[in-house]
Amino acid sequence: MTMQEPRRRAQKARDYYLKRRQHHAKDGAPRRNHATKTMESMSVVTSRWIRHCKFLGVNEHEFMEIAEKEDIMTFLDWMLDTFPRIRKRSSVLEYKRVFFMIYRKSMKRDFDREAASEIHDYITGYLTLSYVLDTTTKEKPVLNVDDIYLILHHHWVHDRSKFPDEHQRIQFALMILLQSYTATRPRVLAYVSINKKRIAAHYIGQSEDVDLSAQWNPEEDDFRTVSYRDVKLFLLPNLGAPKDLLVMEITLRYTKGWDRRPIPKTFILYEVDNLIFDATLLMVTLAILDQAFKAEISSVEDIYRIRVPPARHSLEFDWNEDILDIPVFRQPESISGKIGTSPTQPIRYQTYIRYLQRLGIVSGFMQILTSYMIRRGSGEAVEAVATQGQLQQVMNHQNAGIYQAYINQRVQCDTVAAFIGRPSKKALMSAATHMSRYVDPRAPCEAGQQELEQARSEYGILQLIELRDMLYREVCLESGNVRQAKKDGTEFYGMYANVAAKVKSMNVLIHKVAKKNTRQKFFDEINTIEINKQIRNEQSAYLDALNDTLDQQPNHRLGERKMLAELICADAENLDEETKLQHRLYTANTLVFLGRTREPPRPRPTKTAPQLQKACARNQCFICYWDHGDSTTFYSVYRTRDHVKLHLRRYNEDSPICCPEPNCKKEAVMIEEAHFMRTGVAIQANTYVGVRSFKNHLAEKHCYDIFRERGRN
């Protein structure tokens, strides 16, 4: 948060303080400075309150000032009627809570507590029953160490997803490890953009607040993430070993509520034999790639051959001054025409979540991965070994009760062993209560055609597409083309653009829903399918299972990835210290070489000519269908007609056009040969002079009559 210039302190006259007292009494309760995300949530409810007041024909500020419980209840009724996507009771309760925050900040007083309690009873009683609000709660899955291993193993060994450059692949793995070891919220590692317009209008009467600009500065507050200033690498002496101990110290300063209650946390991370879990190795790699060391360090060998002097207890690696405030995790951007890691911009939260969700899908997890699954798993691991105070420090919770929202729904205690008095089966409990229990790498990653068609019919997108196509024709009739209509700003173009935007957003939603339904259908049916296979023929089911397993040797296009896949997952626990050091050096050097490369573009798959039907459908392009073997279907005949017109646009009114249909071509060749043999003169058979003649031929010979327009002769 941007700090104001400190006021010059000096005792003032007696009358000044008496006037200040009157001013405070008149102003009422001071306005609380909420967090940016809280202000964005408040702005949503504020905008709906303003819309509700406009619907009633009253002033929003005056109406809120005299509002009673009946007005708030009516507002909730109106909101449920106006926004049908509000289906859960917990959402309505949250809207009520946020509204009272807005009320206090706008009116500078609290809403009556007894009336607020009656509103709560109204929501849990009448509204829940009359609107059939959903009162169920979703399970909050937890990722433990086995789940994280599955994710990282797939990331390094099996993942074929393409990153903008391999620097992104390395820093993404480090972000997963840091969140696992620190239980931090993702906002600490990645920057979350804020909506300035929403924050500027998050309560009623905010435009009158002249001091708002001094409360926050989006340009500066938005980019506070982990930088090199927050990370320290240092050595601790390790006598008798081939190398000293490399330790990483990371300080998380910008945790939740840092501007009101700053509580920085410092974590100590060290080297581990299982390199897939080694955060220091990845941090050293990023530092070398960024040329961050102040000393003359240019390779991994330079770091591991340095020893702590006898008179010292540690030796720290300093960073260059110009990189101290550079984020460790950075966003991909276009650099000199190529997409690569930005030198200064921090990675966005949406980018990190997109990487994480994509990795979870291709790894075969049933649930969509989120960063809070990692946070819950880390908290679960810390709770098993730490005191209550340490747990609160790690989770950044103000009181112990907050952690109850993070506890795994599946009870971790072995109640069977506790009741019958036997040792607990910890491995069994761990496998049965975490997300890897449902993993299946064969799960589909794309939406199925059946689910797509079902989603399209449910959301009624076909009618919306027909409306868009009708408006498109009207726009073209009025202005000639869409570009000219946009330039002229016609009314038809405004309607067309609005409907086209709705079609586009609905298409995204349909594909998202269809993809979710496809994966859910797979996980719902796969258990019964596998059981039936084994009941019918156990041996063939076993062979099918072997064939269905994930390829153990994926063909990576980068040699560094092939080598890294073998090195980083190798078991080094039983090796001697000298061999462990060599293994670590090989892995670190491979990571550095990988971080300096970019995966080349994948070769386009060779297209095989599809088996075409005997006739072209009316929702397919006749020319593309027979000339190029493209059987793409359009949503409507109108879109097909517009596409065919693009082909015919290159012909003049008297230009000869040959029919591309195979029978017509064959007949044309026979006529040409017969005429040449009889007369010795070459002709061009089955050609049609002009576009109109060609259209008539398509309609009469091939029943491809798509060019008639209603209301036209």
Side-chain angles (χ1 to χ4, degrees), residues 83-95:
F83 303 98
R85 294 186 67 179
I86 303 176
R87 302 187 185 97
K88 295 186 71 68
R89 183 174 68 182
S90 58
S91 301
V92 182
L93 291 173
E94 180 65 15
Y95 281 127

Side-chain angles (χ1 to χ4, degrees), residues 107-376:
M107 300 295 105
K108 296 187 177 182
R109 66 175 184 270
D110 288 324
F111 198 78
D112 184 68
R113 289 191 176 182
E114 184 176 352
S117 177
E118 294 181 11
I119 294 173
H120 182 276
D121 296 338
Y122 177 71
I123 295 173
T124 56
Y126 174 77
L127 288 183
T128 303
L129 296 175
S130 59
Y131 288 93
V132 196
L133 297 178
D134 185 7
T135 58
T136 60
T137 57
K138 290 185 178 180
E139 181 185 358
K140 297 179 179 179
V142 179
L143 287 168
N144 70 343
V145 61
D146 297 329
D147 305 327
I148 296 297
Y149 179 81
L150 277 177
I151 292 172
L152 292 176
H153 184 272
H154 192 97
H155 174 69
W156 291 118
V157 179
H158 300 290
D159 189 23
R160 291 184 174 88
S161 303
K162 186 176 179 181
F163 287 82
D165 60 11
E166 295 304 308
H167 189 287
Q168 294 285 309
R169 189 185 302 274
I170 297 172
Q171 75 173 16
F172 173 53
L174 180 56
M175 293 178 74
I176 293 177
L177 287 176
L178 285 184
Q179 198 175 4
S180 302
Y181 293 149
T182 63
T184 186
R185 296 175 175 87
R187 168 64 178 85
V188 180
L189 305 178
Y191 108 82
V192 181
S193 60
I194 61 175
N195 192 317
K196 302 175 186 179
K197 292 182 179 180
R198 286 188 175 182
I199 293 178
H202 70 280
Y203 67 92
I204 305 299
Q206 184 174 355
S207 59
E208 303 171 1
D209 189 354
V210 296
D211 297 328
L212 178 66
S213 60
Q215 295 181 7
W216 55 276
N217 184 354
E219 298 292 342
E220 186 173 339
D221 293 351
D222 206 14
F223 294 90
R224 295 189 182 272
T225 59
V226 174
S227 63
Y228 275 94
R229 186 185 299 276
D230 303 318
V231 180
K232 293 182 180 179
L233 288 176
F234 59 92
L235 293 172
L236 294 178
N238 187 19
L239 300 178
K243 71 176 187 65
D244 285 341
L245 302 176
L246 182 63
V247 182
M248 179 170 70
E249 181 183 275
I250 180 168
T251 301
L252 306 180
R253 293 183 292 163
Y254 304 113
T255 56
K256 184 177 181 179
W258 66 269
D259 51 346
R260 300 183 302 277
R261 186 173 50 90
I263 305 179
K265 300 179 295 181
T266 301
F267 293 87
I268 305 297
L269 309 179
Y270 51 85
E271 297 172 320
V272 294
D273 292 336
N274 194 343
L275 298 186
I276 203 170
F277 288 117
D278 198 329
T280 61
L281 182 68
L282 300 180
M283 187 64 220
V284 167
T285 303
L286 293 181
I288 292 176
L289 292 173
D290 293 336
Q291 300 179 355
F293 292 103
K294 192 174 184 180
E296 298 176 357
I297 295 176
S298 58
S299 65
V300 179
E301 287 82 357
D302 294 338
I303 295 177
Y304 286 107
R305 67 184 177 87
I306 296 173
R307 305 302 295 258
V308 180
R312 300 282 304 276
H313 294 282
S314 67
L315 184 63
E316 185 174 333
F317 296 95
D318 294 328
W319 307 119
N320 287 322
E321 293 293 333
D322 57 350
I323 206 170
L324 287 176
D325 295 319
I326 298 298
V328 176
F329 311 110
R330 300 192 294 279
Q331 175 76 5
E333 66 176 9
S334 178
I335 303 173
S336 301
K338 294 183 179 180
I339 302 296
T341 301
S342 169
T344 56
Q345 297 298 318
I347 190 170
R348 299 184 181 183
Y349 174 77
Q350 292 85 351
T351 304
Y352 173 52
I353 293 301
R354 186 176 71 251
Y355 289 164
L356 189 62
Q357 291 181 352
R358 182 179 67 182
L359 182 57
I361 289 174
V362 298
S363 300
F365 280 84
M366 183 175 70
Q367 300 93 336
I368 301 298
L369 291 190
T370 66
S371 57
Y372 272 81
M373 294 177 182
I374 304 177
R375 174 170 162 81
R376 286 192 287 268

Side-chain angles (χ1 to χ4, degrees), residues 74-91:
T74 306
F75 172 57
L76 296 175
D77 291 334
W78 172 86
M79 199 156 52
L80 287 172
D81 293 333
T82 309
F83 303 98
R85 294 186 67 179
I86 303 176
R87 302 187 185 97
K88 295 186 71 68
R89 183 174 68 182
S90 58
S91 301

Side-chain angles (χ1 to χ4, degrees), residues 566-577:
E566 298 179 1
L567 289 172
I568 203 167
C569 298
D571 185 9
E573 291 186 2
N574 299 324
L575 302 178
D576 58 79
E577 293 298 325

Side-chain angles (χ1 to χ4, degrees), residues 429-583:
M429 294 296 297
S430 177
T433 57
H434 292 92
M435 293 178 62
S436 55
R437 165 184 163 188
Y438 302 100
V439 168
D440 192 332
R442 301 168 300 175
C445 299
E446 301 296 335
Q449 189 63 33
Q450 181 180 355
E451 286 75 16
L452 274 174
E453 295 298 333
Q454 183 179 357
R456 284 170 182 154
S457 62
E458 287 180 358
Y459 285 91
I461 192 173
L462 297 179
Q463 293 82 356
L464 201 60
I465 289 175
E466 290 181 0
L467 176 60
R468 180 198 63 184
D469 295 342
M470 183 189 70
L471 291 172
Y472 173 80
R473 294 194 301 274
E474 295 296 336
V475 167
C476 292
L477 286 174
E478 184 181 36
S479 304
N481 54 60
V482 175
R483 183 179 298 178
Q484 185 63 37
K486 181 179 179 180
K487 186 177 180 180
D488 297 340
T490 61
E491 183 179 355
F492 272 121
Y493 173 77
M495 298 168 62
Y496 165 77
N498 187 25
V499 175
K502 288 183 179 179
V503 170
K504 185 177 180 180
S505 62
M506 190 173 289
N507 263 323
V508 174
L509 176 62
I510 285 172
H511 278 79
K512 183 178 179 180
V513 171
K515 183 178 179 180
K516 179 181 177 182
N517 293 340
T518 303
R519 289 178 60 82
Q520 189 61 47
K521 181 181 179 181
F522 171 85
F523 285 106
D524 289 342
E525 298 177 353
I526 190 62
N527 294 324
T528 304
I529 292 174
E530 294 289 352
I531 292 172
N532 289 338
K533 278 185 178 182
Q534 297 185 35
I535 290 175
R536 294 165 186 165
N537 190 336
E538 185 173 354
Q539 185 176 1
S540 65
Y542 175 73
L543 294 176
D544 291 343
L546 289 179
N547 294 329
D548 288 340
T549 53
L550 195 63
D551 182 14
Q552 298 300 317
Q553 294 180 347
N555 186 21
H556 295 302
R557 305 186 63 211
L558 292 174
E560 293 84 358
R561 280 213 64 193
K562 295 179 182 179
M563 185 180 298
L564 184 62
E566 298 179 1
L567 289 172
I568 203 167
C569 298
D571 185 9
E573 291 186 2
N574 299 324
L575 302 178
D576 58 79
E577 293 298 325
E578 200 66 44
T579 310
K580 285 182 180 179
L581 176 58
Q582 293 300 321
H583 176 234

